[in-house]
Amino acid sequence: MSEEAQIAAQIAAQNEELVRQFFATLSTGDLELIRATLHPEASWTPMVKNIPGAGVHTPRDVIVDEFLAPVRGIFEDGDPKSIVLNVFAKGSVVCAETNGRGQLRNGNEYNNLYCWVIEIKDGLVYAIREYMDSHYVMSVV
């Protein structure tokens, strides 16, 4: 393997680990820890239409305070958890398959599958595109 290929593989591995840590932090529910994982100019886009939370959320403080805080508020304390099923990276782009599980405050159980495309910049999460079963979301919230 060429030196260039080795460097690219090392960067991809570092970015994969960063994304695994991002989901571990997201699962804690600690909004300040989550804020620290996000680039100041980050964006988070649920790739859905016509459900609460759809659209682009940016920058970091809007993501945490106006998007994540209300979403976490519909779950019981400590939920939801993001279970990483698969991760792979090419350069600064990381794809992850996850299972989001938790208990909603309305008494319903939440169990949804996700695919994420996450861009890394300056060692932080910079852009998130979140794909999920939006029909399922609306059936349980």
Side-chain angles (χ1 to χ4, degrees), residues 39 46 51 75 121:
H39 190 280
I51 71 167
F75 287 89
K121 181 177 179 181

Side-chain angles (χ1 to χ4, degrees), residues 19-96:
V19 167
R20 286 182 187 280
Q21 288 301 315
F22 167 74
F23 284 114
T25 302
L26 188 63
S27 290
T28 70
D30 184 324
L31 295 177
E32 292 313 310
L33 286 177
I34 295 166
R35 189 184 314 267
T37 68
L38 298 171
H39 190 280
E41 298 170 8
S43 66
W44 188 315
T45 309
M47 305 299 288
V48 297
K49 294 182 180 173
N50 303 319
I51 71 167
V56 179
H57 306 278
T58 190
R60 171 181 60 201
D61 292 338
V62 168
I63 292 168
V64 173
D65 301 329
E66 298 176 25
F67 174 61
L68 288 179
V71 167
R72 297 223 46 115
I74 66 172
F75 287 89
E76 292 291 336
D77 291 344
D79 281 339
K81 302 294 186 213
S82 294
I83 302 158
V84 176
L85 305 173
N86 192 18
V87 180
F88 60 93
K90 182 169 185 180
S92 64
V93 178
V94 182
C95 292

Side-chain angles (χ1 to χ4, degrees), residues 94-112:
V94 182
C95 292
E97 292 178 303
T98 67
N99 178 216
R101 299 192 72 153
Q103 189 69 35
L104 293 159
R105 291 193 189 276
N106 67 11
N108 289 336
E109 182 180 329
Y110 187 81
N111 185 357
N112 203 354

Side-chain angles (χ1 to χ4, degrees), residues 49-52 108 110 112 133-141:
K49 294 182 180 173
N50 303 319
I51 71 167
N108 289 336
Y110 187 81
N112 203 354
D133 182 345
S134 58
H135 177 75
Y136 171 77
V137 169
M138 294 309 295
S139 74
V140 296
V141 293

